[in-house]
Amino acid sequence: MGEQWMFYFDPNRCIGCHACSVACKQRHDRDADADDWRTVTHLSRGEYPDFEEVPISMSCMHCHDAPCEQVCPPDAIVKRDEDGIVTVDRDRCIGCHYCAWACPFGAPTYDDEGLMSKCNLCLGVGPGGGHGQPERQTSEEGGPAPACVSDCVGDAIKAGPQSEVMAEASREAAERFEQGAYGKRVLVEPLEEDADLADSIREGDQPAGAITYEG
Amino acid sequence: MSDADGFDLTRRTVLKTAGAGTVGASLGGCLSGGDDQPAVDPDAETETAYGNCWMCHHACGQKLTVRDGTAVDITGVDEHPRGSAGPGTEGTLCPKGQAELEKLYDPDRITQPYIREDGELHEADWDEAFEYTARRLEAFADEHGPEKLLDATSWSTTNVHEYFWGNLYGTPERIGRGRHVCFGGPHLSGNLMGLGANMRFVDYQHSDYIIAWGRNIFESFAGQWEPKGVLEALDNGATLVVIDPQHTPTAQKADHWLPIEPRTDGALALAMGHVIVEEGLYDEAFVEEQTHGFDAYREAVADRTPEWAEDITGIDTALIREIAIGFAEAAPAAGIALWTGVGQYAEAQKAAQNVFALNGLVGNIDRPGGFRMWQGPPLQMNPFEERGIDLPNNAEGRQPALREHPEYEEYPFRHTTGIGHTVVPEMVENGHIMGMVNHYDNPLTDGSTQAWLEALDAMDLVITIDAYWNELTRNADVVFPEAIQLEKDTLINYAPAWSAYHDRRWISASKAVHEPLGDCKSGFRIYKGLAEELGWGEYFPWESEAEYNEDMLANIDYTFEEVAEQNFVLLEEFEYEQWEEGGFPTATGQFQFDLDEEGGYAEAADELGIDTAPEWIPPGTWGDEPDEEYPLHFYDTRSVFFSFGADQPLEHLHEQYARKHGLEGEDYRGNYLVMNPRDAEPRGIETGDTVTVETAAAEGDEPAMAYVSERTPPGFVTAEFGFGTGNSHEEGMNTMWVHDTQHDPVSSQVDRHLAAEVRPAGGD
Amino acid sequence: MPLDTHVVLAQGFVEQLWLPADYWDLSIPVYLFLAVVAGGGYVTGASACLLRHLRESGPCCLESELARWGFMVAVAGAAGAGLAVLSHLAVIYRALLFPIYLTNFSSWITIGTWILVVLSVIAVICLVLQLFGEGPAQEEGTSLFPRAIVAKVGLLETVDRLVDRFRPPMVAFAAIHVLGSLLAVATIYTGFELAIVETVPLWNMPVVVPLAYLFSGLAAGVGLTVALTAFFEREVGPVVGGYAVATGVLSGLGLVTVWYGWTVLVASDAPAAAASQVALAETTLAIGAWLVVLGLAVALVVGVVVGGAALTGRRPPVLERLAVPALVGSFGLLVVGSLALRVLMLLAAQQDPVVVLG
Ligand code: SF4
Ligand code: SF4
Ligand code: SF4
Ligand code: SF4
């Protein structure tokens, strides 16, 4: 069993440019209007001038415990032993969307055929392209760098075998990871400390228009 | 990315697999299949090709994976001067740079020459098109004289157009984009004060204190080295100050965001100067030895206290003091990055002068971490000379109409520049301009759009070189389809100066990835073909742009091949404090606080009744001020997805732009009108509604979609420019449709800052 | 039906939309609802058979009616659930070939598929046995309408004969009922399908959600059977009364569970729990929330009062007159409320911070 690959994200360096989303689309020859395997979400709060907006770039994190794999009824999702990459066998997928429910990161996407596709850590190319591929090689070993990583303008995303990624993280981020932040599924640099959000939501304290409900 | 797969690009192998036939055939398949990219044999071996991104023309290195003759992937080039953070860092491509891959195969591109016959545009082959154009140009010269043809060529990848239209055709009438519509005020101030035209950039990596003055470096940059450099500086503990009315990604990462009242930068700068002088924090030796006009400056800031500025700028006195002192104390490792934010309003020249004065004051000029005087490679910009060609100058003795005719005496900017964007329609009306040649440059995006449309109609001859259909190309008499940068042998000769290498000259080049789409030709070949038809063939001995480029490299130890093979090479070092040796390129040879010695400027100032020294000119002196009827500031902006008007048609870009606003669920893919909830609510506007902008001059061409956000201050609405009527992506509103001749009278810069009202568009 | 109601939350930052709307549609709550309703119908049918056997009631008794209506509810519910879930899938044939394709037995969908399929097979068998054969041939009642249909085709006698030929012995019959009843209770899996989703606090209550789904769903299934019987028989005897009480009690249990879940949600520190709470209490979803409470509460009261009266035989004339409309009305409301619970569980679901900043 090889070492688990994982992602690292530093919101302090992310400039919200969406280069990662476009790089992913182009590497995998996906239509511009298809759902992104790598998304950039812009989270905002506050009233001008006390306004803040933070970009968050996310994809499948290839979770060590892959909740998606656990729930996939036809075993179409595979958590690979050799590198920890989570791949999809589109010849088995029934399109039940259960993986999307289980996924903590909203990573699975569904195309016009209704089949699941998501980030394969650029193990292969195209939807389902990672399935059945030989073990992931690092760039040093001659493998392709993930498109989103190699075109991240802010150098905010990293990917690789866990030990290598951990070595590049700040001590604080690594500690938080060890303590179980994000279910130990992804390494994220801390941005800031903040108060109890649940209370403020209950007090109706969010920025105007930020939560919309259409019941 | 590693080169481990070890495929070396040779032009031959690429051409072998990518002959025109192959590309044509695969594209045929692609079009019928409705897919954007040609079908590619997935098992074919891959090769590497390079490019120098021409999406915003700042030339970040591009590395392409070519399989089966088709480019299938694109990424940055490590350590590229423009596309990386410098030595030992990875190169990337911003979304625009990546989307050049989409442009390479975009089925919407113009791929055939077109000529106008019997009032209609018809497809033509190149011979017909050259012949037609040559005859029309000759007839035009006979009837009107060549001086009535406006040369509005801008983003060509060679400089051959300048010789063609100036020296050979003989028109003195030339207008460039950057200069007149983008940051004309700072451009003029920077040049006259001694900073040169590259006054936008800081020696980021060495800086301890960076002021992004009206600049959103993380979204709108001149090559990715800029945001990367700022991120490195932040990592190294530098302080980042952002001065901007709108909250931006740059403001988000700043230590201090100063949400300044629009167009009051000049007041803030004077107050900072006041503090620095008062506290004795300025660089006395530099001021003493290297500057001119300090007394006038000292006088100008004498009563410009932070208290005074607080009322005007809305920035706290204490904060102004803190920033001024922080900047001065960090100097010389402190720099100001200023571009369009203090570049696009009517009072911009003076505001920029006030800001630039701070550089002279703290003596950060050409010192590590401060304002860098970048040096480009010693290119031979005149390959004709290199070949010993006796090129005539047929424009000699001809004056631009602005300087020649009494009609334009009311424009003080005639003393500082040869033309103004907003005055062209008037010149057409007066019969002083009767035709135009256009090259990757669309005046309809840049001000007085409606007047320009009428002017286009009135012109006798309009020649365009472009890639997309829009109101300009549709109204032209000749449309030449140019190959895009990736389809050309390109040598970057457009200002290859500022970069992540603060002390090295460099040069970047690349060979065509494969033959151009359809019948497209490189700009060089278009000019050569046209020249031959006009009987100027003798002046064009080069077979290709690669050969022409070779001559441009005459003074450099590398051949075009050698540079292109590595994409870029670093050349010799250059020192800091270059003024020690050569002084400043100004009338006095010194850095000039006061522009009294600059004759043209002094005349313009005199006509306007303003000082030659730094001075506070309140907003509204020349530009619009919001009033009861038009209570909102309306300003156009740029996001990371687009620059100019030529990127907007690309689907990846407008799609991600929609996603960034969370509006991908709507069918609309135009620009968004950003407004504060406090303005939106009383007008009954919500995000996703369509709204119309109206100014005193006009109602918007088309509605735009509203994006209601706290990122913009109340009373201040913005929209991305380069959309709507006149542009290549016609969805959304053209921000300049509602513009009518407003400009900076000193520099002629288009005033893109209007008083407006926004209303729900109704219907929908 | 787009359900644009989800938020991405990061600590201190709130924005809308977590999952694209097309991940879920109305077929999901319908499926999750009908599967348990089928269970409720089945237990009613099976227990009515048992009662009839124990009490040795003759033909035409209400137990038989209850049994038939119960199995009919079970069959219809299971079929509806199956159709609903199939309509949501992309590759239906792979789902139809579930013994081959659905190999992941730690997935509640795989487990649920087997539960639902076996339950529906058993329910069909039971229903057929209650409808055809010599015994049913002598009975009367609206619930026998399928006989009329088969008779129209002219196959009634053949079918009666065949059914009697294959009628299992009592022991096997009992075994089938035991198995069927276990599966009926196993429709609690519908709750587990949601409860395993860790990042949605509204769902991630591994006891509360399954129990709430089970109680409210069984109540709806039993109540629907009671309502059908009462409606067509125009009579509420002690047996029907007993089932009405059971419906009331199940509704009550459902109400208690839902209420308990609500208190857990209110006490949670998770931002998404707070967001769900706000959504349920302060937006249009609140109407749905009150519908759930109303449906369960009214069923509790009416079931216990009217059913209790019928069961104990103490029936004042008012009740005599109102029993049928009251039961039909309240249990109809119960069905709506119980379905509304499922719909709300999707609409008000908020995912906990995708990335928590801080
Ligand atoms: S991120 Fe989502 S899709 Fe990826 S492994 Fe984790 S659960 Fe699965
Ligand atoms: S690793 Fe590859 S597939 Fe995954 S998000 Fe990045 S670019 Fe896309
Ligand atoms: S490319 Fe990098 S910096 Fe840009 S949005 Fe993606 S993660 Fe952020
Ligand atoms: S900044 Fe972007 S668009 Fe401009 S040259 Fe670089 S990659 Fe191209």
Side-chain angles (χ1 to χ4, degrees):
Chain A
M1 177 167 158
E3 202 185 345
Q4 155 92 29
W5 277 56
M6 71 180 304
F7 272 114
Y8 161 99
F9 176 67
D10 183 357
N12 302 290
R13 290 194 67 99
C14 175
I15 60 172
C17 68
H18 293 233
C20 45
S21 300
V22 179
C24 180
K25 282 269 179 65
Q26 297 206 141
R27 168 76 61 91
H28 296 282
D29 199 13
R30 287 167 59 67
D31 288 346
D33 60 357
D35 284 337
D36 284 307
W37 289 353
R38 178 161 282 278
T39 55
V40 183
T41 312
H42 299 259
L43 307 172
S44 61
R45 67 172 166 193
E47 270 182 34
Y48 185 94
D50 299 316
F51 176 78
E52 286 180 84
E53 185 169 304
V54 172
I56 305 290
S57 173
M58 280 193 310
S59 67
C60 167
M61 302 304 177
H62 302 275
C63 311
H64 56 87
D65 56 346
C68 58
E69 183 240 7
Q70 294 175 31
V71 303
C72 175
D75 280 317
I77 300 176
V78 178
K79 170 81 186 164
R80 292 153 51 104
D81 275 346
E82 56 271 40
D83 47 22
I85 295 177
V86 177
T87 62
V88 197
D89 180 355
R90 286 167 52 101
D91 293 333
R92 288 192 70 85
C93 175
I94 57 172
C96 66
H97 299 78
Y98 204 17
C99 44
W101 296 27
C103 173
F105 303 102
T109 72
Y110 303 88
D111 48 29
D112 292 343
E113 294 169 79
L115 297 180
M116 197 271 260
S117 69
K118 61 164 192 67
C119 160
N120 54 34
L121 251 164
C122 290
L123 181 63
V125 171
H131 189 73
Q133 294 287 326
E135 185 176 344
R136 186 78 166 84
Q137 311 263 287
T138 60
S139 299
E140 292 78 51
E141 296 162 345
C148 57
V149 174
S150 76
D151 266 313
C152 175
V153 176
D155 201 9
I157 320 172
K158 295 182 170 115
Q162 180 165 332
S163 58
E164 285 178 29
V165 175
M166 289 284 280
E168 296 207 42
S170 72
R171 224 201 20 225
E172 209 184 336
E175 270 169 17
R176 288 162 45 92
F177 177 81
E178 291 298 352
Q179 287 160 12
Y182 318 112
K184 298 183 85 166
R185 292 172 177 131
V186 51
L187 239 164
V188 180
E189 289 292 342
L191 191 70
E192 60 179 280
E193 299 302 328
D194 202 24
D196 187 345
L197 180 64
D199 278 352
S200 62
I201 290 175
R202 288 192 177 101
E203 281 150 27
D205 222 12
Q206 345 88 19
I211 295 189
T212 54
Y213 296 106
E214 299 163 17
Chain B
M1 277 180 100
S2 80
D3 254 328
D5 10 69
F7 296 112
D8 254 349
L9 166 77
T10 66
R11 171 93 172 124
R12 211 163 22 84
T13 51
V14 170
L15 273 181
K16 210 169 57 199
T17 48
T22 321
V23 173
S26 47
L27 269 170
C30 126
L31 291 181
S32 51
D35 204 344
D36 277 2
Q37 298 223 345
V40 172
D41 174 3
D43 300 323
E45 292 207 336
T46 59
E47 290 153 356
T48 300
Y50 290 109
N52 287 286
C53 179
W54 211 238
M55 298 295 282
C56 78
H57 318 113
H58 289 107
C60 295
Q62 294 165 312
K63 184 167 150 182
L64 295 102
T65 306
V66 182
R67 180 177 293 132
D68 201 10
T70 302
V72 294
D73 201 18
I74 190 166
T75 185
V77 173
D78 292 346
E79 305 193 321
H80 192 278
R82 279 281 169 74
S84 80
T89 65
E90 286 186 24
T92 59
L93 287 175
C94 81
K96 298 179 288 293
Q98 294 188 49
E100 194 162 354
L101 182 61
E102 183 186 340
K103 192 171 184 178
L104 191 56
Y105 303 108
D106 187 352
D108 292 338
R109 271 171 54 191
I110 306 174
T111 55
Q112 275 274 308
Y114 286 79
I115 54 177
R116 187 169 299 278
E117 271 167 339
D118 309 323
E120 296 281 325
L121 273 183
H122 292 291
E123 279 190 20
D125 64 27
W126 280 100
D127 289 343
E128 275 176 84
F130 284 146
E131 139 118 73
Y132 172 91
T133 312
R135 299 298 86 80
R136 293 287 311 259
L137 279 168
E138 284 162 358
F140 185 91
D142 285 348
E143 194 181 338
H144 307 292
E147 67 277 7
K148 291 195 177 168
L149 187 83
L150 174 63
D151 169 7
T153 55
S154 264
W155 303 113
S156 166
T157 47
T158 68
N159 65 354
V160 71
H161 58 286
E162 290 171 18
Y163 297 103
F164 187 98
W165 298 112
N167 291 58
L168 291 170
Y169 195 69
T171 177
E173 206 70 77
R174 164 149 182 79
I175 188 165
R177 288 299 98 187
R179 171 75 177 80
H180 295 97
V181 299
C182 183
F183 62 110
H187 188 279
L188 182 63
S189 297
N191 270 325
L192 297 181
M193 295 172 85
L195 299 176
N198 300 344
M199 27 32 68
R200 293 165 275 180
F201 318 110
V202 174
D203 181 7
Y204 297 114
Q205 271 94 336
H206 295 111
S207 197
D208 295 333
Y209 206 96
I210 299 168
I211 302 183
W213 204 312
R215 275 210 65 188
N216 178 9
I217 303 174
F218 288 142
E219 248 194 306
S220 175
F221 33 78
Q224 302 160 87
W225 73 280
E226 281 206 272
K228 289 169 188 286
V230 175
L231 284 171
E232 278 208 0
L234 289 178
D235 270 357
N236 299 337
T239 301
L240 174 65
V241 177
V242 171
I243 301 170
D244 201 319
Q246 259 192 356
H247 182 274
T248 64
T250 316
Q252 178 66 38
K253 298 216 184 329
D255 298 276
H256 300 281
W257 168 40
L258 279 49
I260 193 171
E261 278 294 316
R263 296 189 288 169
T264 62
D265 311 278
L268 179 62
L270 291 176
M272 284 173 63
H274 174 95
V275 173
I276 293 169
V277 172
E278 185 188 62
E279 302 278 332
L281 288 172
Y282 64 98
D283 184 337
E284 275 178 64
F286 182 87
V287 166
E288 176 76 15
E289 289 155 27
Q290 304 294 341
T291 70
H292 162 83
F294 180 64
D295 289 341
Y297 179 70
R298 197 209 301 262
E299 203 178 304
V301 299
D303 56 351
R304 297 321 192 187
T305 61
E307 290 76 10
W308 164 80
E310 175 174 337
D311 281 346
I312 296 171
T313 60
I315 309 297
D316 206 53
T317 300
L319 188 54
I320 297 177
R321 213 168 263 289
E322 184 185 339
I323 303 296
I325 294 173
F327 175 70
E329 284 181 341
I336 300 171
L338 176 153
W339 195 355
T340 55
V342 193
Q344 305 192 338
Y345 53 86
E347 301 81 13
Q349 180 278 323
K350 199 47 105 178
Q353 188 183 352
N354 296 353
V355 175
F356 290 154
L358 294 169
N359 290 325
L361 191 62
V362 301
N364 68 358
I365 299 174
D366 220 19
R367 286 174 164 154
F371 176 89
R372 185 61 163 138
M373 302 191 81
W374 307 91
Q375 295 301 328
L379 287 171
Q380 165 57 287
M381 294 304 280
N382 190 343
F384 296 85
E385 189 180 281
E386 192 59 32
R387 284 276 174 129
I389 295 166
D390 190 17
L391 197 65
N393 184 2
N394 297 330
E396 206 169 346
R398 295 197 172 111
Q399 278 287 323
L402 185 70
R403 300 242 169 100
E404 192 128 298
H405 300 284
E407 284 93 328
Y408 311 112
E409 266 165 22
E410 58 176 303
Y411 296 115
F413 61 73
R414 73 187 187 287
H415 300 294
T416 63
T417 176
I419 201 161
H421 177 89
T422 56
V423 77
V424 171
E426 189 184 331
M427 291 174 156
V428 174
E429 212 174 286
N430 294 339
H432 295 142
I433 288 179
M434 290 308 297
M436 172 169 76
V437 53
N438 220 89
H439 190 159
Y440 266 164
D441 181 5
N442 185 349
L444 301 177
T445 61
D446 281 321
S448 295
T449 300
Q450 300 189 61
W452 265 89
L453 268 173
E454 281 168 32
L456 276 182
D457 224 30
M459 284 182 198
D460 245 11
L461 177 62
V462 177
I463 300 171
T464 63
I465 302 177
D466 208 330
Y468 289 105
W469 290 112
N470 52 48
E471 278 304 285
L472 174 66
T473 39
R474 277 195 294 266
N475 278 308
D477 300 290
V478 179
V479 182
F480 287 127
E482 198 191 356
I484 69 166
Q485 172 268 143
L486 289 172
E487 299 162 333
K488 292 187 277 192
D489 291 341
T490 306
L491 173 73
I492 297 305
N493 65 51
Y494 161 66
W498 58 85
S499 86
Y501 295 81
H502 48 89
D503 59 356
R504 292 290 289 274
R505 298 167 198 258
W506 56 278
I507 187 80
S508 194
S510 57
K511 307 198 88 178
V513 172
H514 51 54
E515 294 292 319
L517 195 62
D519 255 356
C520 294
K521 266 190 201 304
S522 70
F524 178 86
R525 283 166 201 264
I526 294 172
Y527 286 114
K528 184 174 160 72
L530 209 47
E532 280 163 2
E533 194 60 44
L534 281 159
W536 303 330
E538 57 181 301
Y539 302 118
F540 284 79
W542 309 274
E543 272 314 308
S544 64
E545 65 264 36
E547 274 182 29
Y548 184 86
N549 292 337
E550 204 66 78
D551 281 337
M552 293 197 97
L553 290 169
N555 309 330
I556 293 171
D557 285 343
Y558 291 87
T559 63
F560 176 72
E561 283 285 327
E562 286 166 343
V563 182
E565 209 160 282
Q566 312 170 50
N567 189 229
F568 71 93
V569 292
L570 299 175
L571 305 170
E572 65 272 32
E573 289 190 15
F574 60 99
E575 302 293 309
Y576 284 100
E577 301 188 351
Q578 296 162 97
W579 36 260
E580 282 278 22
E581 293 264 305
F584 288 85
T586 60
T588 60
Q590 292 182 311
F591 173 86
Q592 305 185 135
F593 288 105
D594 191 347
L595 301 175
D596 53 340
E597 296 291 329
E598 299 289 341
Y601 183 86
E603 279 180 66
D606 188 46
E607 279 174 27
L608 283 162
I610 59 167
D611 258 345
T612 49
E615 183 185 15
W616 167 233
I617 299 187
T621 305
W622 300 314
D624 284 7
E625 261 296 86
D627 55 21
E628 236 164 66
E629 209 181 342
Y630 299 106
L632 302 168
H633 293 269
F634 173 58
Y635 208 18
D636 65 13
T637 52
R638 297 168 192 220
S639 72
V640 75
F641 304 106
F642 315 105
S643 83
F644 310 94
D647 306 340
Q648 282 81 344
L650 298 173
E651 234 183 296
H652 278 300
L653 300 178
H654 58 239
E655 188 62 41
Q656 292 296 330
Y657 175 62
R659 286 174 198 210
K660 178 162 187 176
H661 291 83
L663 287 167
E664 68 274 21
E666 308 279 344
D667 285 336
Y668 177 85
R669 287 293 176 272
N671 46 357
Y672 301 110
L673 192 282
V674 183
M675 70 194 304
N676 187 280
R678 279 164 270 181
D679 294 322
E681 259 161 52
R683 291 173 173 80
I685 294 169
E686 286 178 14
T687 295
D689 293 353
T690 52
V691 294
T692 309
V693 175
E694 191 187 313
T695 65
E699 190 169 301
D701 55 325
E702 292 289 334
M705 185 169 279
Y707 179 73
V708 178
S709 165
E710 290 286 356
R711 78 164 62 134
T712 201
F716 190 85
V717 301
T718 63
E720 177 86 11
F721 99 127
F723 288 80
T725 312
N727 287 288
S728 301
H729 187 66
E730 289 173 314
E731 210 169 350
M733 75 169 291
N734 183 335
T735 52
M736 289 289 106
W737 188 266
V738 294
H739 175 270
D740 176 30
T741 69
Q742 290 96 328
H743 64 272
D744 174 358
V746 191
S747 69
S748 92
Q749 161 69 37
V750 173
D751 179 5
R752 312 182 80 117
H753 198 142
L754 309 170
E757 177 57 298
V758 176
R759 297 195 181 85
D764 186 25
Chain C
M1 174 175 147
L3 311 176
D4 289 348
T5 55
H6 309 286
V7 294
V8 169
L9 297 153
Q11 196 167 351
F13 292 87
V14 185
E15 286 263 332
Q16 71 195 78
L17 220 79
W18 159 44
L19 293 173
D22 63 354
Y23 285 17
W24 302 337
D25 54 38
L26 199 56
S27 67
I28 295 299
V30 167
Y31 157 65
L32 296 177
F33 176 59
L34 290 183
V36 198
V37 168
Y42 186 86
V43 284
T44 315
S47 56
C49 284
L50 182 68
L51 269 183
R52 186 177 56 189
H53 183 72
L54 290 178
R55 292 158 57 125
E56 292 171 6
S57 313
C60 304
C61 64
L62 280 175
E63 283 95 326
S64 296
E65 283 297 312
L66 275 167
R68 278 191 294 269
W69 283 120
F71 292 135
M72 253 183 284
V73 166
V75 171
L83 287 177
V85 74
L86 281 177
S87 77
H88 175 75
L89 298 181
V91 191
I92 292 173
Y93 82 88
R94 286 184 197 151
L96 293 177
L97 293 176
F98 65 93
I100 299 171
Y101 276 97
L102 301 200
T103 47
N104 181 1
F105 281 91
S106 54
S107 170
W108 284 108
I109 289 191
T110 307
I111 298 169
T113 303
W114 283 100
I115 291 172
L116 195 61
V117 168
V118 178
L119 177 64
S120 53
V121 170
I122 290 177
V124 168
I125 293 172
C126 292
L127 179 61
V128 168
L129 290 175
Q130 291 305 315
L131 281 176
F132 302 101
E134 230 180 293
Q138 293 159 21
E139 296 188 32
E140 270 173 38
T142 324
S143 63
L144 286 165
F145 70 89
R147 289 185 60 85
I149 298 171
V150 177
K152 268 245 156 69
V153 197
L155 289 174
L156 189 55
E157 275 180 32
T158 327
V159 174
D160 275 344
R161 221 175 320 115
L162 273 175
V163 168
D164 276 339
R165 165 99 57 88
F166 291 105
R167 191 175 291 279
M170 209 51 205
V171 189
F173 204 51
I176 286 179
H177 278 325
V178 170
L179 179 61
S181 301
L182 285 177
L183 290 170
V185 176
T187 55
I188 192 173
Y189 82 86
T190 53
F192 285 114
E193 281 193 3
L194 298 189
I196 50 103
V197 177
E198 280 170 37
T199 48
V200 177
L202 180 64
W203 297 352
N204 191 220
M205 298 185 256
V207 178
V208 173
V209 172
L211 280 184
Y213 271 32
L214 183 67
F215 290 142
S216 65
L218 287 182
V222 179
L224 187 59
T225 311
V226 171
L228 285 166
T229 309
F231 182 77
F232 287 110
E233 297 306 314
R234 305 252 133 246
E235 189 189 331
V236 182
V239 181
V240 174
Y243 280 96
V245 172
T247 305
V249 170
L250 283 168
S251 300
L253 288 172
L255 194 59
V256 169
T257 323
V258 166
W259 180 253
Y260 178 71
W262 176 255
T263 61
V264 172
L265 196 69
V266 170
S268 166
D269 295 334
S276 290
Q277 180 197 335
V278 173
L280 285 168
E282 288 168 30
T283 69
T284 32
L285 293 191
I287 300 171
W290 284 113
L291 189 62
V292 174
V293 173
L294 197 70
L296 292 172
V298 170
L300 166 64
V301 173
V302 175
V304 170
V305 172
V306 177
L311 180 64
T312 54
R314 267 179 291 151
R315 285 187 288 182
V318 202
L319 260 188
E320 189 82 352
R321 235 180 319 113
L322 284 183
V324 173
L327 285 182
V328 173
S330 66
F331 291 175
L333 188 63
L334 167 64
V335 169
V336 175
S338 185
L339 174 60
L341 172 65
R342 272 77 175 173
V343 177
L344 278 186
M345 287 293 280
L346 291 197
L347 289 180
Q350 308 294 343
Q351 192 186 33
D352 240 336
V354 169
V355 169
V356 181
L357 308 165

